[in-house]
Amino acid sequence: MASLLGLVVLLIPPASAAAALRLQYTGEPPAEARTRGHDAVWLGHAWVDGRKGDADLVSLTRQLAGTGIRDLYVHTGPLGDDGSMDGAKHPKAAWLVAAVHRAAPGLRVQAWLGNVVAPEENGLHLDQAETRNRITDAARQVLDLGFDGVHFDLEPVRSDSAGFLALLDQAHAVTAERHAQLSVAAPQIDPLPGLHSAGIALAGHGKWWSQAYFAQVARRVEQIAVMSYDTAMPLESLYGGYVAQQTALALEATPPGVDLLMGLPAYWDESFGHRGSAETVTAAVRGARLALGRNDRQAFGLALYADFSATAADWAAYRSGWCAA
């Protein structure tokens, strides 16, 4: 991340970059830029391995009442490095899906399946047909448990990965046959054209996707959720402006009818790549609303990451900034 940020500084004078992001964050979001009922939240593995039960579900449904959250991305994997899935790791998955459907019929429960991806990590080789076939089989397995959809969080997929597109085509054939959702967690879009290529060349890390590749992915799914955090922005105003910029880029690239969600950093970290004082739910909500006001879209939502790290203040910021009338 340090090398990537250094690259940005080299390409754009720091003062100019800061001014541009601050400008994105200026003004008042329009009143109509509020939840459309397409929001989501990532839920941890405790919901499917037996650590959570009926009382926890009651608390969760109370937490979600009055919000725009429609989808729960429940960590159900992880996938093995060969793409296979061990069902013994989620013994309570079927219970959770049935219990949510009884307690809150309007909610959809999607199985969050993920792992790290080669060549940057020693994990999934999406260029191999055998790996893609096993991941597709894992999608079938979770749909057999009653899940309403499959949510892939495979990182880091490099921009222009043909293997990832092939996987989405395979998986979508399965979810479409079951009338289920297919969704993905997506990296951020190049703040500057071609930045993903420069990042790979200089740092060996493809942090961003090109806008064109983002559009190719979005055409293959029902939902695409941008992981709009871990940006290394040092100030809340700069982070909010960055989220506004990312939202605008994603709005341009996402086809009509596909849900676009922007991720909210409902967790605390204090590192070079993530300044907790800067990356706030408040700033992310405001940045997304500012961009949405310039390009109104109904198939749009916000997604909180994650239930196991979100504080009462994070939930309050989401509610007051996005859900309040």
PDB file of all heavy atoms in Angstrom, residues 147-184:
ATOM      1  N   PHE A 147     -29.884 -20.916   1.007  1.00  0.00           N
ATOM      2  CA  PHE A 147     -29.449 -19.533   0.849  1.00  0.00           C
ATOM      3  C   PHE A 147     -30.108 -18.890  -0.368  1.00  0.00           C
ATOM      4  O   PHE A 147     -30.380 -19.550  -1.378  1.00  0.00           O
ATOM      5  CB  PHE A 147     -27.929 -19.466   0.696  1.00  0.00           C
ATOM      6  CG  PHE A 147     -27.170 -19.567   1.997  1.00  0.00           C
ATOM      7  CD1 PHE A 147     -26.657 -20.783   2.418  1.00  0.00           C
ATOM      8  CD2 PHE A 147     -26.986 -18.445   2.795  1.00  0.00           C
ATOM      9  CE1 PHE A 147     -25.955 -20.887   3.613  1.00  0.00           C
ATOM     10  CE2 PHE A 147     -26.289 -18.542   3.993  1.00  0.00           C
ATOM     11  CZ  PHE A 147     -25.773 -19.758   4.402  1.00  0.00           C
ATOM     12  N   ASP A 148     -30.350 -17.595  -0.254  1.00  0.00           N
ATOM     13  CA  ASP A 148     -31.001 -16.843  -1.324  1.00  0.00           C
ATOM     14  C   ASP A 148     -30.024 -16.355  -2.384  1.00  0.00           C
ATOM     15  O   ASP A 148     -30.445 -15.772  -3.387  1.00  0.00           O
ATOM     16  CB  ASP A 148     -31.727 -15.624  -0.743  1.00  0.00           C
ATOM     17  CG  ASP A 148     -32.759 -16.023   0.295  1.00  0.00           C
ATOM     18  OD1 ASP A 148     -33.679 -16.777  -0.055  1.00  0.00           O
ATOM     19  OD2 ASP A 148     -32.636 -15.577   1.458  1.00  0.00           O
ATOM     20  N   GLY A 149     -28.741 -16.569  -2.150  1.00  0.00           N
ATOM     21  CA  GLY A 149     -27.758 -16.115  -3.113  1.00  0.00           C
ATOM     22  C   GLY A 149     -26.358 -16.493  -2.687  1.00  0.00           C
ATOM     23  O   GLY A 149     -26.136 -17.063  -1.614  1.00  0.00           O
ATOM     24  N   VAL A 150     -25.417 -16.176  -3.567  1.00  0.00           N
ATOM     25  CA  VAL A 150     -23.999 -16.440  -3.346  1.00  0.00           C
ATOM     26  C   VAL A 150     -23.251 -15.121  -3.472  1.00  0.00           C
ATOM     27  O   VAL A 150     -23.448 -14.379  -4.443  1.00  0.00           O
ATOM     28  CB  VAL A 150     -23.452 -17.449  -4.374  1.00  0.00           C
ATOM     29  CG1 VAL A 150     -21.953 -17.661  -4.178  1.00  0.00           C
ATOM     30  CG2 VAL A 150     -24.209 -18.770  -4.289  1.00  0.00           C
ATOM     31  N   HIS A 151     -22.409 -14.839  -2.484  1.00  0.00           N
ATOM     32  CA  HIS A 151     -21.628 -13.604  -2.462  1.00  0.00           C
ATOM     33  C   HIS A 151     -20.147 -13.970  -2.466  1.00  0.00           C
ATOM     34  O   HIS A 151     -19.638 -14.543  -1.503  1.00  0.00           O
ATOM     35  CB  HIS A 151     -21.964 -12.787  -1.210  1.00  0.00           C
ATOM     36  CG  HIS A 151     -21.164 -11.531  -1.064  1.00  0.00           C
ATOM     37  ND1 HIS A 151     -21.407 -10.412  -1.835  1.00  0.00           N
ATOM     38  CD2 HIS A 151     -20.119 -11.213  -0.255  1.00  0.00           C
ATOM     39  CE1 HIS A 151     -20.556  -9.458  -1.488  1.00  0.00           C
ATOM     40  NE2 HIS A 151     -19.760  -9.922  -0.541  1.00  0.00           N
ATOM     41  N   PHE A 152     -19.457 -13.650  -3.566  1.00  0.00           N
ATOM     42  CA  PHE A 152     -18.033 -13.941  -3.686  1.00  0.00           C
ATOM     43  C   PHE A 152     -17.201 -12.770  -3.171  1.00  0.00           C
ATOM     44  O   PHE A 152     -17.410 -11.617  -3.573  1.00  0.00           O
ATOM     45  CB  PHE A 152     -17.642 -14.205  -5.139  1.00  0.00           C
ATOM     46  CG  PHE A 152     -18.091 -15.531  -5.683  1.00  0.00           C
ATOM     47  CD1 PHE A 152     -18.653 -15.630  -6.949  1.00  0.00           C
ATOM     48  CD2 PHE A 152     -17.941 -16.694  -4.945  1.00  0.00           C
ATOM     49  CE1 PHE A 152     -19.060 -16.845  -7.461  1.00  0.00           C
ATOM     50  CE2 PHE A 152     -18.350 -17.931  -5.442  1.00  0.00           C
ATOM     51  CZ  PHE A 152     -18.904 -17.995  -6.713  1.00  0.00           C
ATOM     52  N   ASP A 153     -16.261 -13.073  -2.291  1.00  0.00           N
ATOM     53  CA  ASP A 153     -15.255 -12.111  -1.854  1.00  0.00           C
ATOM     54  C   ASP A 153     -13.895 -12.767  -2.061  1.00  0.00           C
ATOM     55  O   ASP A 153     -13.344 -13.384  -1.152  1.00  0.00           O
ATOM     56  CB  ASP A 153     -15.474 -11.725  -0.392  1.00  0.00           C
ATOM     57  CG  ASP A 153     -14.438 -10.730   0.107  1.00  0.00           C
ATOM     58  OD1 ASP A 153     -13.715 -10.143  -0.715  1.00  0.00           O
ATOM     59  OD2 ASP A 153     -14.344 -10.539   1.338  1.00  0.00           O
ATOM     60  N   LEU A 154     -13.373 -12.649  -3.258  1.00  0.00           N
ATOM     61  CA  LEU A 154     -12.117 -13.272  -3.652  1.00  0.00           C
ATOM     62  C   LEU A 154     -11.100 -12.152  -3.860  1.00  0.00           C
ATOM     63  O   LEU A 154     -11.303 -11.276  -4.698  1.00  0.00           O
ATOM     64  CB  LEU A 154     -12.303 -14.083  -4.941  1.00  0.00           C
ATOM     65  CG  LEU A 154     -13.479 -15.083  -4.920  1.00  0.00           C
ATOM     66  CD1 LEU A 154     -13.624 -15.774  -6.265  1.00  0.00           C
ATOM     67  CD2 LEU A 154     -13.308 -16.101  -3.805  1.00  0.00           C
ATOM     68  N   GLU A 155     -10.015 -12.194  -3.096  1.00  0.00           N
ATOM     69  CA  GLU A 155      -9.072 -11.075  -3.110  1.00  0.00           C
ATOM     70  C   GLU A 155      -7.624 -11.567  -3.130  1.00  0.00           C
ATOM     71  O   GLU A 155      -7.312 -12.556  -2.456  1.00  0.00           O
ATOM     72  CB  GLU A 155      -9.270 -10.210  -1.862  1.00  0.00           C
ATOM     73  CG  GLU A 155     -10.665  -9.660  -1.659  1.00  0.00           C
ATOM     74  CD  GLU A 155     -10.755  -8.833  -0.372  1.00  0.00           C
ATOM     75  OE1 GLU A 155      -9.845  -8.007  -0.139  1.00  0.00           O
ATOM     76  OE2 GLU A 155     -11.711  -9.043   0.390  1.00  0.00           O
ATOM     77  N   PRO A 156      -6.726 -10.866  -3.843  1.00  0.00           N
ATOM     78  CA  PRO A 156      -7.039  -9.768  -4.764  1.00  0.00           C
ATOM     79  C   PRO A 156      -7.165 -10.284  -6.204  1.00  0.00           C
ATOM     80  O   PRO A 156      -6.222 -10.859  -6.757  1.00  0.00           O
ATOM     81  CB  PRO A 156      -5.812  -8.871  -4.632  1.00  0.00           C
ATOM     82  CG  PRO A 156      -4.689  -9.813  -4.313  1.00  0.00           C
ATOM     83  CD  PRO A 156      -5.284 -11.010  -3.594  1.00  0.00           C
ATOM     84  N   VAL A 157      -8.332 -10.118  -6.793  1.00  0.00           N
ATOM     85  CA  VAL A 157      -8.511 -10.406  -8.214  1.00  0.00           C
ATOM     86  C   VAL A 157      -7.963  -9.215  -8.999  1.00  0.00           C
ATOM     87  O   VAL A 157      -8.381  -8.078  -8.773  1.00  0.00           O
ATOM     88  CB  VAL A 157      -9.997 -10.624  -8.555  1.00  0.00           C
ATOM     89  CG1 VAL A 157     -10.193 -10.721 -10.065  1.00  0.00           C
ATOM     90  CG2 VAL A 157     -10.523 -11.877  -7.867  1.00  0.00           C
ATOM     91  N   ARG A 158      -7.043  -9.484  -9.879  1.00  0.00           N
ATOM     92  CA  ARG A 158      -6.462  -8.398 -10.661  1.00  0.00           C
ATOM     93  C   ARG A 158      -7.401  -7.965 -11.783  1.00  0.00           C
ATOM     94  O   ARG A 158      -8.150  -8.766 -12.337  1.00  0.00           O
ATOM     95  CB  ARG A 158      -5.116  -8.833 -11.257  1.00  0.00           C
ATOM     96  CG  ARG A 158      -4.004  -8.915 -10.215  1.00  0.00           C
ATOM     97  CD  ARG A 158      -2.676  -9.254 -10.842  1.00  0.00           C
ATOM     98  NE  ARG A 158      -1.589  -9.135  -9.868  1.00  0.00           N
ATOM     99  CZ  ARG A 158      -0.316  -9.407 -10.136  1.00  0.00           C
ATOM    100  NH1 ARG A 158       0.033  -9.813 -11.351  1.00  0.00           N
ATOM    101  NH2 ARG A 158       0.610  -9.260  -9.201  1.00  0.00           N
ATOM    102  N   SER A 159      -7.340  -6.687 -12.099  1.00  0.00           N
ATOM    103  CA  SER A 159      -8.119  -6.169 -13.214  1.00  0.00           C
ATOM    104  C   SER A 159      -7.771  -6.949 -14.479  1.00  0.00           C
ATOM    105  O   SER A 159      -6.612  -7.293 -14.715  1.00  0.00           O
ATOM    106  CB  SER A 159      -7.802  -4.682 -13.402  1.00  0.00           C
ATOM    107  OG  SER A 159      -8.680  -4.084 -14.336  1.00  0.00           O
ATOM    108  N   ASP A 160      -8.802  -7.235 -15.274  1.00  0.00           N
ATOM    109  CA  ASP A 160      -8.660  -7.962 -16.543  1.00  0.00           C
ATOM    110  C   ASP A 160      -8.452  -9.463 -16.347  1.00  0.00           C
ATOM    111  O   ASP A 160      -8.073 -10.160 -17.292  1.00  0.00           O
ATOM    112  CB  ASP A 160      -7.537  -7.383 -17.421  1.00  0.00           C
ATOM    113  CG  ASP A 160      -7.738  -5.909 -17.716  1.00  0.00           C
ATOM    114  OD1 ASP A 160      -8.913  -5.503 -17.877  1.00  0.00           O
ATOM    115  OD2 ASP A 160      -6.751  -5.164 -17.774  1.00  0.00           O
ATOM    116  N   SER A 161      -8.736  -9.991 -15.151  1.00  0.00           N
ATOM    117  CA  SER A 161      -8.643 -11.429 -14.932  1.00  0.00           C
ATOM    118  C   SER A 161      -9.739 -12.150 -15.719  1.00  0.00           C
ATOM    119  O   SER A 161     -10.930 -12.008 -15.422  1.00  0.00           O
ATOM    120  CB  SER A 161      -8.793 -11.754 -13.438  1.00  0.00           C
ATOM    121  OG  SER A 161      -9.006 -13.143 -13.252  1.00  0.00           O
ATOM    122  N   ALA A 162      -9.333 -12.915 -16.727  1.00  0.00           N
ATOM    123  CA  ALA A 162     -10.302 -13.679 -17.513  1.00  0.00           C
ATOM    124  C   ALA A 162     -10.874 -14.830 -16.695  1.00  0.00           C
ATOM    125  O   ALA A 162     -12.040 -15.209 -16.870  1.00  0.00           O
ATOM    126  CB  ALA A 162      -9.635 -14.204 -18.784  1.00  0.00           C
ATOM    127  N   GLY A 163     -10.058 -15.396 -15.791  1.00  0.00           N
ATOM    128  CA  GLY A 163     -10.532 -16.503 -14.974  1.00  0.00           C
ATOM    129  C   GLY A 163     -11.684 -16.109 -14.068  1.00  0.00           C
ATOM    130  O   GLY A 163     -12.630 -16.898 -13.881  1.00  0.00           O
ATOM    131  N   PHE A 164     -11.638 -14.901 -13.508  1.00  0.00           N
ATOM    132  CA  PHE A 164     -12.722 -14.452 -12.636  1.00  0.00           C
ATOM    133  C   PHE A 164     -14.008 -14.266 -13.430  1.00  0.00           C
ATOM    134  O   PHE A 164     -15.094 -14.659 -12.971  1.00  0.00           O
ATOM    135  CB  PHE A 164     -12.320 -13.147 -11.954  1.00  0.00           C
ATOM    136  CG  PHE A 164     -13.296 -12.663 -10.915  1.00  0.00           C
ATOM    137  CD1 PHE A 164     -13.687 -13.472  -9.868  1.00  0.00           C
ATOM    138  CD2 PHE A 164     -13.829 -11.383 -10.994  1.00  0.00           C
ATOM    139  CE1 PHE A 164     -14.588 -13.029  -8.911  1.00  0.00           C
ATOM    140  CE2 PHE A 164     -14.724 -10.925 -10.037  1.00  0.00           C
ATOM    141  CZ  PHE A 164     -15.112 -11.748  -9.000  1.00  0.00           C
ATOM    142  N   LEU A 165     -13.906 -13.697 -14.627  1.00  0.00           N
ATOM    143  CA  LEU A 165     -15.100 -13.535 -15.463  1.00  0.00           C
ATOM    144  C   LEU A 165     -15.687 -14.893 -15.832  1.00  0.00           C
ATOM    145  O   LEU A 165     -16.913 -15.068 -15.827  1.00  0.00           O
ATOM    146  CB  LEU A 165     -14.756 -12.741 -16.723  1.00  0.00           C
ATOM    147  CG  LEU A 165     -14.273 -11.305 -16.522  1.00  0.00           C
ATOM    148  CD1 LEU A 165     -14.007 -10.650 -17.871  1.00  0.00           C
ATOM    149  CD2 LEU A 165     -15.259 -10.488 -15.707  1.00  0.00           C
ATOM    150  N   ALA A 166     -14.815 -15.855 -16.131  1.00  0.00           N
ATOM    151  CA  ALA A 166     -15.302 -17.195 -16.465  1.00  0.00           C
ATOM    152  C   ALA A 166     -16.012 -17.830 -15.270  1.00  0.00           C
ATOM    153  O   ALA A 166     -17.047 -18.497 -15.421  1.00  0.00           O
ATOM    154  CB  ALA A 166     -14.135 -18.069 -16.923  1.00  0.00           C
ATOM    155  N   LEU A 167     -15.465 -17.628 -14.065  1.00  0.00           N
ATOM    156  CA  LEU A 167     -16.117 -18.140 -12.864  1.00  0.00           C
ATOM    157  C   LEU A 167     -17.497 -17.527 -12.687  1.00  0.00           C
ATOM    158  O   LEU A 167     -18.471 -18.233 -12.382  1.00  0.00           O
ATOM    159  CB  LEU A 167     -15.260 -17.852 -11.634  1.00  0.00           C
ATOM    160  CG  LEU A 167     -15.927 -18.114 -10.280  1.00  0.00           C
ATOM    161  CD1 LEU A 167     -16.252 -19.593 -10.127  1.00  0.00           C
ATOM    162  CD2 LEU A 167     -15.052 -17.625  -9.133  1.00  0.00           C
ATOM    163  N   LEU A 168     -17.598 -16.217 -12.869  1.00  0.00           N
ATOM    164  CA  LEU A 168     -18.890 -15.551 -12.707  1.00  0.00           C
ATOM    165  C   LEU A 168     -19.906 -16.073 -13.722  1.00  0.00           C
ATOM    166  O   LEU A 168     -21.087 -16.258 -13.390  1.00  0.00           O
ATOM    167  CB  LEU A 168     -18.729 -14.048 -12.834  1.00  0.00           C
ATOM    168  CG  LEU A 168     -17.895 -13.361 -11.745  1.00  0.00           C
ATOM    169  CD1 LEU A 168     -17.803 -11.861 -12.008  1.00  0.00           C
ATOM    170  CD2 LEU A 168     -18.460 -13.629 -10.362  1.00  0.00           C
ATOM    171  N   ASP A 169     -19.470 -16.307 -14.957  1.00  0.00           N
ATOM    172  CA  ASP A 169     -20.388 -16.855 -15.959  1.00  0.00           C
ATOM    173  C   ASP A 169     -20.896 -18.233 -15.522  1.00  0.00           C
ATOM    174  O   ASP A 169     -22.096 -18.520 -15.628  1.00  0.00           O
ATOM    175  CB  ASP A 169     -19.680 -16.965 -17.305  1.00  0.00           C
ATOM    176  CG  ASP A 169     -19.459 -15.609 -17.968  1.00  0.00           C
ATOM    177  OD1 ASP A 169     -20.209 -14.667 -17.649  1.00  0.00           O
ATOM    178  OD2 ASP A 169     -18.531 -15.502 -18.797  1.00  0.00           O
ATOM    179  N   GLN A 170     -19.998 -19.075 -15.004  1.00  0.00           N
ATOM    180  CA  GLN A 170     -20.411 -20.408 -14.539  1.00  0.00           C
ATOM    181  C   GLN A 170     -21.358 -20.309 -13.357  1.00  0.00           C
ATOM    182  O   GLN A 170     -22.409 -20.965 -13.317  1.00  0.00           O
ATOM    183  CB  GLN A 170     -19.181 -21.211 -14.101  1.00  0.00           C
ATOM    184  CG  GLN A 170     -18.360 -21.796 -15.213  1.00  0.00           C
ATOM    185  CD  GLN A 170     -17.246 -22.675 -14.672  1.00  0.00           C
ATOM    186  OE1 GLN A 170     -16.125 -22.622 -15.164  1.00  0.00           O
ATOM    187  NE2 GLN A 170     -17.522 -23.490 -13.664  1.00  0.00           N
ATOM    188  N   ALA A 171     -20.968 -19.509 -12.370  1.00  0.00           N
ATOM    189  CA  ALA A 171     -21.773 -19.405 -11.152  1.00  0.00           C
ATOM    190  C   ALA A 171     -23.130 -18.782 -11.436  1.00  0.00           C
ATOM    191  O   ALA A 171     -24.149 -19.183 -10.849  1.00  0.00           O
ATOM    192  CB  ALA A 171     -21.025 -18.600 -10.100  1.00  0.00           C
ATOM    193  N   HIS A 172     -23.157 -17.813 -12.338  1.00  0.00           N
ATOM    194  CA  HIS A 172     -24.430 -17.145 -12.626  1.00  0.00           C
ATOM    195  C   HIS A 172     -25.410 -18.096 -13.299  1.00  0.00           C
ATOM    196  O   HIS A 172     -26.631 -17.996 -13.086  1.00  0.00           O
ATOM    197  CB  HIS A 172     -24.210 -15.911 -13.482  1.00  0.00           C
ATOM    198  CG  HIS A 172     -25.396 -14.995 -13.499  1.00  0.00           C
ATOM    199  ND1 HIS A 172     -26.310 -14.984 -14.531  1.00  0.00           N
ATOM    200  CD2 HIS A 172     -25.842 -14.087 -12.589  1.00  0.00           C
ATOM    201  CE1 HIS A 172     -27.254 -14.089 -14.266  1.00  0.00           C
ATOM    202  NE2 HIS A 172     -27.008 -13.545 -13.090  1.00  0.00           N
ATOM    203  N   ALA A 173     -24.904 -19.021 -14.091  1.00  0.00           N
ATOM    204  CA  ALA A 173     -25.795 -20.010 -14.688  1.00  0.00           C
ATOM    205  C   ALA A 173     -26.480 -20.838 -13.602  1.00  0.00           C
ATOM    206  O   ALA A 173     -27.670 -21.175 -13.707  1.00  0.00           O
ATOM    207  CB  ALA A 173     -25.005 -20.916 -15.630  1.00  0.00           C
ATOM    208  N   VAL A 174     -25.743 -21.128 -12.530  1.00  0.00           N
ATOM    209  CA  VAL A 174     -26.298 -21.905 -11.416  1.00  0.00           C
ATOM    210  C   VAL A 174     -27.298 -21.070 -10.621  1.00  0.00           C
ATOM    211  O   VAL A 174     -28.417 -21.527 -10.332  1.00  0.00           O
ATOM    212  CB  VAL A 174     -25.163 -22.398 -10.499  1.00  0.00           C
ATOM    213  CG1 VAL A 174     -25.730 -23.022  -9.225  1.00  0.00           C
ATOM    214  CG2 VAL A 174     -24.273 -23.381 -11.238  1.00  0.00           C
ATOM    215  N   THR A 175     -26.920 -19.844 -10.253  1.00  0.00           N
ATOM    216  CA  THR A 175     -27.828 -19.020  -9.448  1.00  0.00           C
ATOM    217  C   THR A 175     -29.079 -18.638 -10.233  1.00  0.00           C
ATOM    218  O   THR A 175     -30.178 -18.593  -9.668  1.00  0.00           O
ATOM    219  CB  THR A 175     -27.110 -17.753  -8.953  1.00  0.00           C
ATOM    220  OG1 THR A 175     -26.582 -17.021 -10.066  1.00  0.00           O
ATOM    221  CG2 THR A 175     -25.987 -18.105  -7.985  1.00  0.00           C
ATOM    222  N   ALA A 176     -28.937 -18.369 -11.516  1.00  0.00           N
ATOM    223  CA  ALA A 176     -30.108 -18.006 -12.320  1.00  0.00           C
ATOM    224  C   ALA A 176     -31.096 -19.164 -12.404  1.00  0.00           C
ATOM    225  O   ALA A 176     -32.318 -18.959 -12.329  1.00  0.00           O
ATOM    226  CB  ALA A 176     -29.661 -17.585 -13.718  1.00  0.00           C
ATOM    227  N   GLU A 177     -30.567 -20.375 -12.538  1.00  0.00           N
ATOM    228  CA  GLU A 177     -31.438 -21.550 -12.579  1.00  0.00           C
ATOM    229  C   GLU A 177     -32.214 -21.719 -11.281  1.00  0.00           C
ATOM    230  O   GLU A 177     -33.364 -22.173 -11.288  1.00  0.00           O
ATOM    231  CB  GLU A 177     -30.595 -22.795 -12.847  1.00  0.00           C
ATOM    232  CG  GLU A 177     -31.395 -24.068 -12.978  1.00  0.00           C
ATOM    233  CD  GLU A 177     -30.523 -25.285 -13.218  1.00  0.00           C
ATOM    234  OE1 GLU A 177     -29.284 -25.155 -13.184  1.00  0.00           O
ATOM    235  OE2 GLU A 177     -31.082 -26.387 -13.430  1.00  0.00           O
ATOM    236  N   ARG A 178     -31.604 -21.300 -10.170  1.00  0.00           N
ATOM    237  CA  ARG A 178     -32.249 -21.418  -8.849  1.00  0.00           C
ATOM    238  C   ARG A 178     -33.023 -20.144  -8.468  1.00  0.00           C
ATOM    239  O   ARG A 178     -33.541 -20.059  -7.361  1.00  0.00           O
ATOM    240  CB  ARG A 178     -31.192 -21.680  -7.776  1.00  0.00           C
ATOM    241  CG  ARG A 178     -30.294 -22.877  -8.022  1.00  0.00           C
ATOM    242  CD  ARG A 178     -30.970 -24.197  -7.779  1.00  0.00           C
ATOM    243  NE  ARG A 178     -29.999 -25.280  -7.771  1.00  0.00           N
ATOM    244  CZ  ARG A 178     -29.407 -25.753  -6.681  1.00  0.00           C
ATOM    245  NH1 ARG A 178     -29.712 -25.282  -5.493  1.00  0.00           N
ATOM    246  NH2 ARG A 178     -28.513 -26.727  -6.773  1.00  0.00           N
ATOM    247  N   HIS A 179     -33.066 -19.167  -9.363  1.00  0.00           N
ATOM    248  CA  HIS A 179     -33.703 -17.872  -9.075  1.00  0.00           C
ATOM    249  C   HIS A 179     -33.082 -17.225  -7.837  1.00  0.00           C
ATOM    250  O   HIS A 179     -33.774 -16.649  -6.990  1.00  0.00           O
ATOM    251  CB  HIS A 179     -35.213 -18.039  -8.887  1.00  0.00           C
ATOM    252  CG  HIS A 179     -35.892 -18.691 -10.056  1.00  0.00           C
ATOM    253  ND1 HIS A 179     -36.066 -18.057 -11.275  1.00  0.00           N
ATOM    254  CD2 HIS A 179     -36.396 -19.950 -10.204  1.00  0.00           C
ATOM    255  CE1 HIS A 179     -36.672 -18.882 -12.119  1.00  0.00           C
ATOM    256  NE2 HIS A 179     -36.881 -20.030 -11.501  1.00  0.00           N
ATOM    257  N   ALA A 180     -31.766 -17.340  -7.736  1.00  0.00           N
ATOM    258  CA  ALA A 180     -31.009 -16.797  -6.605  1.00  0.00           C
ATOM    259  C   ALA A 180     -30.148 -15.628  -7.067  1.00  0.00           C
ATOM    260  O   ALA A 180     -29.958 -15.395  -8.261  1.00  0.00           O
ATOM    261  CB  ALA A 180     -30.135 -17.897  -5.990  1.00  0.00           C
ATOM    262  N   GLN A 181     -29.614 -14.904  -6.096  1.00  0.00           N
ATOM    263  CA  GLN A 181     -28.760 -13.761  -6.362  1.00  0.00           C
ATOM    264  C   GLN A 181     -27.305 -14.199  -6.519  1.00  0.00           C
ATOM    265  O   GLN A 181     -26.857 -15.149  -5.873  1.00  0.00           O
ATOM    266  CB  GLN A 181     -28.828 -12.765  -5.193  1.00  0.00           C
ATOM    267  CG  GLN A 181     -30.211 -12.221  -4.906  1.00  0.00           C
ATOM    268  CD  GLN A 181     -30.691 -11.284  -5.994  1.00  0.00           C
ATOM    269  OE1 GLN A 181     -30.078 -10.259  -6.267  1.00  0.00           O
ATOM    270  NE2 GLN A 181     -31.794 -11.636  -6.621  1.00  0.00           N
ATOM    271  N   LEU A 182     -26.568 -13.480  -7.363  1.00  0.00           N
ATOM    272  CA  LEU A 182     -25.112 -13.589  -7.406  1.00  0.00           C
ATOM    273  C   LEU A 182     -24.555 -12.196  -7.162  1.00  0.00           C
ATOM    274  O   LEU A 182     -24.930 -11.239  -7.846  1.00  0.00           O
ATOM    275  CB  LEU A 182     -24.613 -14.115  -8.745  1.00  0.00           C
ATOM    276  CG  LEU A 182     -23.082 -14.248  -8.860  1.00  0.00           C
ATOM    277  CD1 LEU A 182     -22.530 -15.235  -7.831  1.00  0.00           C
ATOM    278  CD2 LEU A 182     -22.677 -14.672 -10.277  1.00  0.00           C
ATOM    279  N   SER A 183     -23.692 -12.088  -6.162  1.00  0.00           N
ATOM    280  CA  SER A 183     -23.110 -10.790  -5.831  1.00  0.00           C
ATOM    281  C   SER A 183     -21.617 -10.948  -5.598  1.00  0.00           C
ATOM    282  O   SER A 183     -21.123 -12.045  -5.330  1.00  0.00           O
ATOM    283  CB  SER A 183     -23.786 -10.179  -4.589  1.00  0.00           C
ATOM    284  OG  SER A 183     -23.601 -11.017  -3.460  1.00  0.00           O
ATOM    285  N   VAL A 184     -20.901  -9.841  -5.720  1.00  0.00           N
ATOM    286  CA  VAL A 184     -19.450  -9.859  -5.515  1.00  0.00           C
ATOM    287  C   VAL A 184     -19.032  -8.643  -4.698  1.00  0.00           C
ATOM    288  O   VAL A 184     -19.638  -7.574  -4.781  1.00  0.00           O
ATOM    289  CB  VAL A 184     -18.667  -9.854  -6.857  1.00  0.00           C
ATOM    290  CG1 VAL A 184     -18.890 -11.131  -7.623  1.00  0.00           C
ATOM    291  CG2 VAL A 184     -19.027  -8.633  -7.699  1.00  0.00           C
TER     292      VAL A 184
END
